[in-house]
Amino acid sequence: MKKWLVALVATSALLVGCGEKGAGEPPKEMEIPKMVEVEILTPEVLKVNEEIELAAHVVQGDKNIDDAIVQFEVWESGL
């Protein structure tokens, strides 16, 4: 008889724990981060053997990101 009582109480406790409102919804404080957008700032036309400065403008949502780490990999185009 005690085994049935313990099983009934344990099952009830499990079902009550699973029936919480909003289950399956992410907590409101966990917001999905917005996409990071990077615009590479270079001149449209370049001269051969001319030095240029590579720069990037990084934005996430509506905010400018000033402390982003941006790495450039420069390849020769072969033209």
Side-chain angles (χ1 to χ4, degrees):
M1 184 68 160
K2 289 183 182 180
K3 290 181 183 180
W4 284 101
L5 183 61
V6 170
L8 181 63
V9 170
T11 305
S12 300
L14 288 174
L15 292 176
V16 169
C18 294
E20 182 179 337
K21 280 189 176 180
E25 296 177 14
K28 291 185 180 182
E29 50 286 337
M30 283 187 63
E31 201 172 298
I32 297 173
K34 297 188 180 189
M35 288 291 289
V36 175
E37 297 179 18
V38 179
E39 179 184 0
I40 299 175
L41 307 171
T42 59
E44 290 288 324
V45 179
L46 303 174
K47 295 181 183 175
V48 177
N49 295 326
E50 178 184 6
E51 287 188 18
I52 64 165
E53 179 180 322
L54 292 177
H57 182 230
V58 182
V59 177
Q60 186 174 23
D62 294 334
K63 296 180 182 179
N64 289 327
I65 307 297
D66 297 327
D67 59 347
I69 298 173
V70 179
Q71 294 182 349
F72 293 99
E73 184 174 339
V74 181
W75 290 17
E76 187 176 338
S77 69
L79 294 177

